[in-house]
């Protein structure tokens, strides 16, 4: 099908990044969030990030102007009904995703493809709660969306080929690379990445090393661009914990048990960069380890 207008649900870090790249690629975007202030903040961030691309010569001033003109916002989820494709990018909680779909479904056009940017939850289970399991799939962008090349495409058991092909066409138009993943907990990237982060938290929990020494060891010893605890802060510790819980529950293997220290940080509200405190304290000029 010819996808022209796309609805994005959620104006947070992932939603505004997805909106950014889709608008630059020429799609008309309707960005939704329950919070009007979040929508305003998303537009400011998108403009700032595209301007950074303009300053580097990656995007022209006219392309920036055209992209921003393609973005509309709404606090009414039902207004996404006439779009050709919906990408749900809300928080990584299955109950919230079900609520979003239940509200949206009665208003969707028959042809509309419904997708989720979930990083771990079963696509088959999400699809089964909708009226269009054949036109439902996982559409998992990496963070930060404008910089990361990969998009995971995940079929549920009922996803049909035209739906997959349409989403693949969007990825190709974005000049990104698609990886096809089977519908297993956390798919490919997070199935590998999150246990590494969880093990880094265990290493901290058991006193093997400090925050600084753990991150430096992986950066200098394994050539990682970012240490695992720094990366966890960037992703959001609540998201990391949610994905580990999905792995632990879905695969029934104790090796995926979330570290108690990760749970403790989340319970304290120390969720990482988005709240300025996690494994590092970001409230000053320079991030300082909290342990």
């Amino acid at each position: 099908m010819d996808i022209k207008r796309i609805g994005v649900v959620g104006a947070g870090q992932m939603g505004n990044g997805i909106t950014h790249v889709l608008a630059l690629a020429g799609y008309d975007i309707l960005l939704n969030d329950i919070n009007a202030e979040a929508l305003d903040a998303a537009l400011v961030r998108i403009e700032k990030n595209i301007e950074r691309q303009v300053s580097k010569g990656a995007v022209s001033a006219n392309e920036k102007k055209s992209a921003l003109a393609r973005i509309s916002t709404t606090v009414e989820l039902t207004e996404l009904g006439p779009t050709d494709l919906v990408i749900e990018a809300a928080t990584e909680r299955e109950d919230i995703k079900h609520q979003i779909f239940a509200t949206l479904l009665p208003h969707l056009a028959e042809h509309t493809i419904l997708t989720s940017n979930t990083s771990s939850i079963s696509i088959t289970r999400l699809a089964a709660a909708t009226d269009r399991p054949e036109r439902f799939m996982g559409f998992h962008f990496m963070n930060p969306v404008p910089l990361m090349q990969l998009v995971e495409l995940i079929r549920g058991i009922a996803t049909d080929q035209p739906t997959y092909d349409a989403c693949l066409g969007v990825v190709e138009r974005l000049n990104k690379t698609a990886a096809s993943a089977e519908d297993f907990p956390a798919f490919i990237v997070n199935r590998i990445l999150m246990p590494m982060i969880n093990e880094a938290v265990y290493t901290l929990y058991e006193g093997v090393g400090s925050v600084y020494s753990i991150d430096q060891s992986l950066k200098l010893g394994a050539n990682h661009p970012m240490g695992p605890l720094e990366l966890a802060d960037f992703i959001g510790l609540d998201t990391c914990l949610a994905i580990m819980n999905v792995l632990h529950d879905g695969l029934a293997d104790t090796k995926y048990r979330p570290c108690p220290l990760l749970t403790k940080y989340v319970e304290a509200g120390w969720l990482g960069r988005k709240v300025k405190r996690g494994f590092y304290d970001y409230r000053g000029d320079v991030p300082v380890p909290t342990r």
Side-chain angles (χ1 to χ4, degrees):
M1 63 174 291
D2 187 17
I3 293 175
K4 296 179 179 179
R5 196 166 190 230
I6 300 176
V8 177
V9 181
Q13 191 172 40
M14 294 305 297
N16 74 60
I18 292 168
T19 298
H20 172 154
V21 297
L22 290 172
L24 276 177
Y27 293 105
D28 293 324
I29 310 300
L30 183 55
L31 176 62
N32 162 264
D33 198 282
I34 58 173
N35 188 330
E37 292 180 357
L39 290 170
D40 292 339
L43 291 177
V44 170
R45 183 170 182 178
I46 291 168
E47 182 172 10
K48 180 179 178 181
N49 287 341
I50 298 180
E51 180 56 37
R52 186 179 294 116
Q53 293 176 293
V54 172
S55 68
K56 294 179 179 179
V59 172
S60 71
N62 283 337
E63 287 173 325
K64 172 190 171 183
K65 183 178 179 181
S66 296
L68 293 175
R70 294 188 191 103
I71 302 170
S72 302
T73 63
T74 179
V75 294
E76 299 296 333
L77 186 60
T78 57
E79 292 186 10
L80 273 61
T83 58
D84 303 311
L85 167 68
V86 173
I87 303 173
E88 173 271 311
T91 188
E92 191 70 353
R93 282 180 50 187
E94 189 167 351
D95 59 332
I96 291 178
K97 295 180 188 300
H98 281 300
Q99 291 171 19
I100 289 169
F101 298 151
T103 301
L104 188 57
L105 285 170
H107 304 276
L108 287 182
E110 184 178 351
H111 73 276
T112 302
I113 293 172
L114 185 55
T115 68
S116 176
N117 186 59
T118 179
S119 53
S120 61
I121 299 169
S122 167
I123 298 303
T124 296
R125 193 164 65 241
L126 289 175
T130 76
D131 63 354
R132 60 196 65 217
E134 298 84 3
R135 296 190 299 284
F136 189 103
M137 65 180 294
F139 207 166
H140 181 212
F141 289 83
M142 305 294 126
N143 184 35
V145 180
L147 298 180
M148 300 299 281
Q149 181 66 24
L150 185 73
V151 180
E152 282 183 316
L153 296 180
I154 309 100
R155 291 182 176 95
I157 194 170
T159 306
D160 63 23
Q161 191 63 40
T163 295
Y164 179 87
D165 291 341
C167 291
L168 178 60
V170 173
V171 175
E172 291 174 344
R173 183 163 162 180
L174 297 176
N175 292 318
K176 293 187 181 293
T177 301
S180 182
E182 292 300 317
D183 188 19
F184 279 81
F187 319 129
I188 296 173
V189 173
N190 283 323
R191 172 75 177 266
I192 298 167
L193 177 63
M194 286 302 159
M196 182 198 75
I197 288 175
N198 194 52
E199 193 63 27
V201 182
Y202 266 115
T203 304
L204 177 65
Y205 178 60
E206 295 166 2
V208 180
S210 65
V211 169
Y212 178 80
S213 62
I214 292 167
D215 278 352
Q216 285 296 98
S217 294
L218 268 293
K219 285 194 285 188
L220 301 181
N223 203 29
H224 289 194
M226 187 181 292
L229 301 176
E230 182 184 4
L231 178 57
D233 276 355
F234 183 78
I235 294 168
L237 303 192
D238 52 339
T239 300
C240 294
L241 179 59
I243 295 170
M244 287 309 303
N245 280 326
V246 167
L247 281 166
H248 188 232
D249 295 344
L251 298 173
D253 193 323
T254 56
K255 72 180 181 180
Y256 298 114
R257 183 173 72 96
C259 179
L261 184 60
L262 178 59
T263 301
K264 184 178 291 186
Y265 269 65
V266 173
E267 289 174 344
W270 292 17
L271 307 181
R273 281 183 173 270
K274 58 188 173 185
V275 298
K276 299 189 181 300
R277 190 182 294 185
F279 291 113
Y280 292 85
D281 189 325
Y282 300 92
R283 294 174 295 177
D285 295 334
V286 178
V288 178
T290 53
R291 291 177 76 91

Short mmCIF file of all heavy atoms in Angstrom, two decimals, residues 214-258:
data_model
loop_
_atom_site.label_atom_id
_atom_site.label_comp_id
_atom_site.label_asym_id
_atom_site.label_seq_id
_atom_site.Cartn_x
_atom_site.Cartn_y
_atom_site.Cartn_z
N ILE A 214 33.59 0.23 35.94
CA ILE A 214 32.85 -0.68 35.05
C ILE A 214 32.69 -0.05 33.66
O ILE A 214 32.96 -0.70 32.64
CB ILE A 214 31.47 -1.01 35.66
CG1 ILE A 214 31.64 -1.87 36.91
CG2 ILE A 214 30.57 -1.72 34.63
CD1 ILE A 214 30.39 -1.98 37.75
N ASP A 215 32.29 1.21 33.62
CA ASP A 215 32.11 1.86 32.32
C ASP A 215 33.43 2.04 31.58
O ASP A 215 33.50 1.81 30.36
CB ASP A 215 31.41 3.21 32.51
CG ASP A 215 29.90 3.07 32.62
OD1 ASP A 215 29.39 1.96 32.41
OD2 ASP A 215 29.23 4.07 32.93
N GLN A 216 34.47 2.44 32.29
CA GLN A 216 35.78 2.60 31.64
C GLN A 216 36.30 1.27 31.12
O GLN A 216 36.90 1.20 30.05
CB GLN A 216 36.79 3.21 32.63
CG GLN A 216 36.59 4.69 32.88
CD GLN A 216 36.81 5.52 31.63
OE1 GLN A 216 35.86 5.91 30.94
NE2 GLN A 216 38.05 5.79 31.29
N SER A 217 36.06 0.19 31.86
CA SER A 217 36.55 -1.13 31.43
C SER A 217 35.93 -1.55 30.11
O SER A 217 36.61 -2.09 29.23
CB SER A 217 36.22 -2.17 32.51
OG SER A 217 36.96 -1.92 33.69
N LEU A 218 34.63 -1.31 29.95
CA LEU A 218 33.98 -1.69 28.69
C LEU A 218 34.33 -0.73 27.55
O LEU A 218 34.46 -1.15 26.40
CB LEU A 218 32.46 -1.75 28.89
CG LEU A 218 31.89 -3.13 29.28
CD1 LEU A 218 32.04 -4.13 28.14
CD2 LEU A 218 32.56 -3.68 30.53
N LYS A 219 34.50 0.54 27.87
CA LYS A 219 34.87 1.49 26.81
C LYS A 219 36.30 1.25 26.32
O LYS A 219 36.55 1.24 25.11
CB LYS A 219 34.71 2.93 27.32
CG LYS A 219 33.27 3.38 27.42
CD LYS A 219 33.13 4.88 27.59
CE LYS A 219 33.46 5.33 28.99
NZ LYS A 219 33.15 6.77 29.19
N LEU A 220 37.21 1.03 27.25
CA LEU A 220 38.62 0.91 26.86
C LEU A 220 39.04 -0.53 26.62
O LEU A 220 39.99 -0.78 25.87
CB LEU A 220 39.51 1.53 27.95
CG LEU A 220 39.26 3.01 28.25
CD1 LEU A 220 40.22 3.50 29.33
CD2 LEU A 220 39.38 3.86 27.00
N GLY A 221 38.34 -1.47 27.25
CA GLY A 221 38.71 -2.87 27.10
C GLY A 221 37.94 -3.61 26.03
O GLY A 221 38.40 -4.64 25.51
N ALA A 222 36.76 -3.13 25.69
CA ALA A 222 35.94 -3.77 24.66
C ALA A 222 35.60 -2.83 23.52
O ALA A 222 34.83 -3.18 22.63
CB ALA A 222 34.66 -4.33 25.27
N ASN A 223 36.13 -1.61 23.57
CA ASN A 223 35.93 -0.60 22.53
C ASN A 223 34.47 -0.21 22.35
O ASN A 223 34.04 0.10 21.25
CB ASN A 223 36.52 -1.08 21.19
CG ASN A 223 36.86 0.08 20.26
OD1 ASN A 223 37.17 1.18 20.72
ND2 ASN A 223 36.79 -0.15 18.97
N HIS A 224 33.71 -0.24 23.46
CA HIS A 224 32.32 0.23 23.40
C HIS A 224 32.32 1.76 23.45
O HIS A 224 33.06 2.36 24.23
CB HIS A 224 31.52 -0.30 24.58
CG HIS A 224 31.25 -1.78 24.49
ND1 HIS A 224 30.32 -2.41 25.29
CD2 HIS A 224 31.77 -2.75 23.69
CE1 HIS A 224 30.30 -3.71 24.99
NE2 HIS A 224 31.17 -3.93 24.02
N PRO A 225 31.50 2.42 22.65
CA PRO A 225 31.48 3.89 22.65
C PRO A 225 30.91 4.47 23.94
O PRO A 225 31.17 5.64 24.26
CB PRO A 225 30.60 4.23 21.45
CG PRO A 225 29.74 3.03 21.24
CD PRO A 225 30.59 1.85 21.64
N MET A 226 30.15 3.68 24.67
CA MET A 226 29.51 4.14 25.90
C MET A 226 29.52 2.98 26.89
O MET A 226 29.26 1.83 26.51
CB MET A 226 28.07 4.59 25.60
CG MET A 226 27.34 5.25 26.74
SD MET A 226 25.63 5.71 26.28
CE MET A 226 25.92 7.01 25.07
N GLY A 227 29.83 3.26 28.16
CA GLY A 227 29.80 2.21 29.16
C GLY A 227 28.40 1.69 29.39
O GLY A 227 27.41 2.39 29.14
N PRO A 228 28.24 0.45 29.90
CA PRO A 228 26.91 -0.13 30.06
C PRO A 228 26.02 0.60 31.05
O PRO A 228 24.80 0.66 30.87
CB PRO A 228 27.19 -1.57 30.51
CG PRO A 228 28.57 -1.53 31.08
CD PRO A 228 29.30 -0.50 30.29
N LEU A 229 26.59 1.18 32.10
CA LEU A 229 25.78 1.89 33.08
C LEU A 229 25.40 3.27 32.55
O LEU A 229 24.28 3.75 32.77
CB LEU A 229 26.53 2.00 34.41
CG LEU A 229 26.89 0.64 35.03
CD1 LEU A 229 27.72 0.83 36.28
CD2 LEU A 229 25.64 -0.18 35.33
N GLU A 230 26.30 3.89 31.82
CA GLU A 230 25.98 5.15 31.14
C GLU A 230 24.89 4.93 30.10
O GLU A 230 23.97 5.73 29.96
CB GLU A 230 27.26 5.69 30.48
CG GLU A 230 27.10 7.02 29.78
CD GLU A 230 28.36 7.45 29.05
OE1 GLU A 230 29.35 6.68 29.02
OE2 GLU A 230 28.34 8.56 28.48
N LEU A 231 24.99 3.81 29.39
CA LEU A 231 23.98 3.48 28.38
C LEU A 231 22.63 3.21 29.04
O LEU A 231 21.58 3.63 28.52
CB LEU A 231 24.43 2.27 27.58
CG LEU A 231 23.49 1.75 26.50
CD1 LEU A 231 23.16 2.85 25.49
CD2 LEU A 231 24.09 0.54 25.80
N ALA A 232 22.64 2.52 30.18
CA ALA A 232 21.38 2.27 30.90
C ALA A 232 20.70 3.58 31.28
O ALA A 232 19.48 3.72 31.14
CB ALA A 232 21.66 1.43 32.14
N ASP A 233 21.49 4.54 31.76
CA ASP A 233 20.94 5.86 32.08
C ASP A 233 20.34 6.52 30.85
O ASP A 233 19.31 7.20 30.92
CB ASP A 233 22.03 6.76 32.66
CG ASP A 233 22.25 6.58 34.14
OD1 ASP A 233 21.50 5.81 34.77
OD2 ASP A 233 23.18 7.21 34.69
N PHE A 234 21.00 6.36 29.71
CA PHE A 234 20.52 6.97 28.47
C PHE A 234 19.20 6.33 28.03
O PHE A 234 18.27 7.02 27.61
CB PHE A 234 21.58 6.81 27.38
CG PHE A 234 21.23 7.46 26.08
CD1 PHE A 234 21.37 8.83 25.90
CD2 PHE A 234 20.76 6.71 25.01
CE1 PHE A 234 21.04 9.44 24.70
CE2 PHE A 234 20.44 7.31 23.80
CZ PHE A 234 20.58 8.68 23.65
N ILE A 235 19.10 5.02 28.13
CA ILE A 235 17.88 4.31 27.75
C ILE A 235 16.75 4.61 28.71
O ILE A 235 15.59 4.80 28.31
CB ILE A 235 18.15 2.79 27.71
CG1 ILE A 235 19.14 2.46 26.60
CG2 ILE A 235 16.85 2.00 27.53
CD1 ILE A 235 19.68 1.04 26.67
N GLY A 236 17.07 4.66 30.00
CA GLY A 236 16.06 4.80 31.06
C GLY A 236 16.04 3.53 31.88
O GLY A 236 15.81 2.44 31.34
N LEU A 237 16.32 3.63 33.18
CA LEU A 237 16.42 2.42 34.00
C LEU A 237 15.07 1.72 34.13
O LEU A 237 15.02 0.49 34.27
CB LEU A 237 16.98 2.77 35.39
CG LEU A 237 18.35 3.47 35.41
CD1 LEU A 237 18.91 3.50 36.82
CD2 LEU A 237 19.33 2.81 34.46
N ASP A 238 13.98 2.46 34.06
CA ASP A 238 12.66 1.84 34.09
C ASP A 238 12.43 0.98 32.85
O ASP A 238 11.88 -0.13 32.93
CB ASP A 238 11.56 2.88 34.24
CG ASP A 238 11.64 4.01 33.22
OD1 ASP A 238 12.72 4.24 32.64
OD2 ASP A 238 10.63 4.69 33.00
N THR A 239 12.90 1.46 31.70
CA THR A 239 12.80 0.68 30.47
C THR A 239 13.66 -0.57 30.53
O THR A 239 13.24 -1.66 30.14
CB THR A 239 13.18 1.53 29.25
OG1 THR A 239 12.30 2.66 29.17
CG2 THR A 239 13.09 0.73 27.96
N CYS A 240 14.89 -0.42 31.05
CA CYS A 240 15.78 -1.58 31.20
C CYS A 240 15.14 -2.64 32.09
O CYS A 240 15.17 -3.83 31.78
CB CYS A 240 17.12 -1.14 31.79
SG CYS A 240 18.11 -0.07 30.72
N LEU A 241 14.57 -2.20 33.21
CA LEU A 241 13.94 -3.14 34.13
C LEU A 241 12.74 -3.82 33.48
O LEU A 241 12.54 -5.04 33.63
CB LEU A 241 13.51 -2.41 35.41
CG LEU A 241 12.81 -3.27 36.47
CD1 LEU A 241 13.70 -4.42 36.93
CD2 LEU A 241 12.39 -2.40 37.65
N ALA A 242 11.94 -3.05 32.75
CA ALA A 242 10.76 -3.63 32.09
C ALA A 242 11.18 -4.70 31.09
O ALA A 242 10.55 -5.77 31.01
CB ALA A 242 9.97 -2.52 31.39
N ILE A 243 12.23 -4.45 30.33
CA ILE A 243 12.69 -5.43 29.34
C ILE A 243 13.25 -6.67 30.03
O ILE A 243 12.99 -7.81 29.60
CB ILE A 243 13.73 -4.80 28.40
CG1 ILE A 243 13.08 -3.69 27.57
CG2 ILE A 243 14.34 -5.86 27.48
CD1 ILE A 243 14.07 -2.85 26.79
N MET A 244 14.01 -6.50 31.11
CA MET A 244 14.52 -7.65 31.84
C MET A 244 13.39 -8.48 32.42
O MET A 244 13.46 -9.72 32.44
CB MET A 244 15.48 -7.20 32.94
CG MET A 244 16.83 -6.70 32.45
SD MET A 244 17.69 -7.83 31.31
CE MET A 244 17.79 -9.34 32.28
N ASN A 245 12.34 -7.83 32.88
CA ASN A 245 11.18 -8.58 33.39
C ASN A 245 10.50 -9.38 32.29
O ASN A 245 10.05 -10.51 32.51
CB ASN A 245 10.19 -7.63 34.06
CG ASN A 245 10.61 -7.24 35.47
OD1 ASN A 245 11.21 -8.03 36.20
ND2 ASN A 245 10.30 -6.02 35.86
N VAL A 246 10.41 -8.79 31.09
CA VAL A 246 9.84 -9.51 29.95
C VAL A 246 10.69 -10.73 29.62
O VAL A 246 10.17 -11.83 29.37
CB VAL A 246 9.70 -8.59 28.72
CG1 VAL A 246 9.40 -9.40 27.46
CG2 VAL A 246 8.61 -7.56 28.95
N LEU A 247 12.00 -10.58 29.61
CA LEU A 247 12.91 -11.69 29.33
C LEU A 247 12.78 -12.78 30.40
O LEU A 247 12.69 -13.97 30.09
CB LEU A 247 14.35 -11.20 29.26
CG LEU A 247 14.78 -10.52 27.97
CD1 LEU A 247 16.11 -9.80 28.15
CD2 LEU A 247 14.91 -11.55 26.84
N HIS A 248 12.77 -12.35 31.66
CA HIS A 248 12.71 -13.29 32.77
C HIS A 248 11.39 -14.06 32.76
O HIS A 248 11.36 -15.29 32.90
CB HIS A 248 12.89 -12.55 34.09
CG HIS A 248 13.04 -13.44 35.28
ND1 HIS A 248 12.27 -13.30 36.41
CD2 HIS A 248 13.85 -14.50 35.51
CE1 HIS A 248 12.62 -14.22 37.30
NE2 HIS A 248 13.57 -14.96 36.78
N ASP A 249 10.30 -13.34 32.55
CA ASP A 249 8.98 -13.99 32.54
C ASP A 249 8.77 -14.82 31.28
O ASP A 249 8.21 -15.92 31.33
CB ASP A 249 7.88 -12.93 32.64
CG ASP A 249 7.89 -12.18 33.97
OD1 ASP A 249 8.54 -12.66 34.92
OD2 ASP A 249 7.28 -11.09 34.04
N GLY A 250 9.21 -14.30 30.15
CA GLY A 250 8.93 -14.95 28.88
C GLY A 250 9.78 -16.17 28.60
O GLY A 250 9.33 -17.11 27.94
N LEU A 251 11.02 -16.18 29.10
CA LEU A 251 11.94 -17.28 28.82
C LEU A 251 12.14 -18.20 30.02
O LEU A 251 12.77 -19.25 29.90
CB LEU A 251 13.29 -16.74 28.33
CG LEU A 251 13.20 -15.94 27.02
CD1 LEU A 251 14.54 -15.31 26.69
CD2 LEU A 251 12.73 -16.81 25.87
N ALA A 252 11.63 -17.78 31.19
CA ALA A 252 11.66 -18.62 32.40
C ALA A 252 13.06 -19.14 32.71
O ALA A 252 13.24 -20.31 33.05
CB ALA A 252 10.67 -19.77 32.25
N ASP A 253 14.03 -18.26 32.61
CA ASP A 253 15.42 -18.63 32.86
C ASP A 253 15.99 -17.67 33.89
O ASP A 253 15.91 -16.45 33.72
CB ASP A 253 16.22 -18.57 31.56
CG ASP A 253 17.58 -19.24 31.65
OD1 ASP A 253 18.21 -19.13 32.72
OD2 ASP A 253 18.01 -19.86 30.66
N THR A 254 16.60 -18.20 34.95
CA THR A 254 17.10 -17.35 36.03
C THR A 254 18.24 -16.43 35.58
O THR A 254 18.51 -15.44 36.26
CB THR A 254 17.58 -18.19 37.22
OG1 THR A 254 18.57 -19.13 36.75
CG2 THR A 254 16.43 -18.95 37.85
N LYS A 255 18.86 -16.73 34.46
CA LYS A 255 19.95 -15.86 34.02
C LYS A 255 19.45 -14.47 33.62
O LYS A 255 20.22 -13.54 33.48
CB LYS A 255 20.74 -16.49 32.87
CG LYS A 255 20.02 -16.53 31.53
CD LYS A 255 20.91 -17.18 30.48
CE LYS A 255 20.24 -17.24 29.11
NZ LYS A 255 21.12 -17.89 28.09
N TYR A 256 18.13 -14.35 33.43
CA TYR A 256 17.54 -13.05 33.07
C TYR A 256 16.93 -12.34 34.28
O TYR A 256 16.23 -11.34 34.11
CB TYR A 256 16.47 -13.24 32.00
CG TYR A 256 17.01 -13.80 30.70
CD1 TYR A 256 16.62 -15.06 30.25
CD2 TYR A 256 17.92 -13.08 29.92
CE1 TYR A 256 17.11 -15.59 29.07
CE2 TYR A 256 18.41 -13.60 28.74
CZ TYR A 256 18.01 -14.86 28.32
OH TYR A 256 18.51 -15.37 27.14
N ARG A 257 17.19 -12.82 35.50
CA ARG A 257 16.61 -12.18 36.68
C ARG A 257 17.15 -10.76 36.83
O ARG A 257 18.36 -10.56 36.87
CB ARG A 257 16.94 -12.99 37.94
CG ARG A 257 16.33 -12.42 39.22
CD ARG A 257 16.55 -13.37 40.39
NE ARG A 257 17.94 -13.38 40.81
CZ ARG A 257 18.43 -12.64 41.80
NH1 ARG A 257 17.63 -11.83 42.47
NH2 ARG A 257 19.70 -12.72 42.13
N PRO A 258 16.28 -9.75 36.90
CA PRO A 258 16.78 -8.37 37.05
C PRO A 258 17.58 -8.21 38.34
O PRO A 258 17.20 -8.75 39.39
CB PRO A 258 15.49 -7.53 37.09
CG PRO A 258 14.45 -8.38 36.46
CD PRO A 258 14.81 -9.80 36.80
#
